[in-house]
Structure formats: structure tokens, C-alpha cells
Amino acid sequence: MSRRSTRRSLRAATVLTGLAIGFVALGRVTLAIASAALAAIVTLHVLYQLSRGDR
């Protein structure tokens, strides 16, 4: 995983986390859970790739 790809993925996870917080504030729990789950998946994928040494 290239450095640029890692940055983009982590930025996407940050945006999804922000969306989840916003959805909670608006009372849209289902969308908040979906957004938080996607953020977690993206973050775990990045961590997995980095642990394999693919940079």
C-alpha cells in the first residue's frame, strides 16, 4: 500500500467517523452505525496492510 493510498484511506475513515458523529447528533442512529462500521473496516484494512509491510 503506497503512502498516498494510506493517507487517502485514513482520510476517508476520518470523514466517515465525522459523518457518524453528525448522524448521531441528528438522531439518525442507523446511518451513524453504518458510517462507523465502514470507518472501522477501512481503518482495520489499513492497519492490516501496514502490518504486512506493504507501504
Side-chain angles (χ1 to χ4, degrees):
M1 193 171 217
S2 71
R3 192 174 295 211
R4 178 177 287 168
S5 178
T6 300
R7 286 182 185 162
R8 285 183 182 164
S9 295
L10 290 177
R11 186 175 298 136
T14 302
V15 169
L16 287 168
T17 302
L19 281 174
I21 293 168
F23 286 139
V24 167
L26 294 174
R28 307 290 288 191
V29 177
T30 304
L31 290 174
I33 292 171
S35 182
L38 285 173
I41 290 168
V42 170
T43 303
L44 289 173
H45 176 71
V46 169
L47 291 173
Y48 173 73
Q49 292 297 327
L50 291 176
S51 72
R52 291 184 55 215
D54 297 339
R55 295 181 183 211

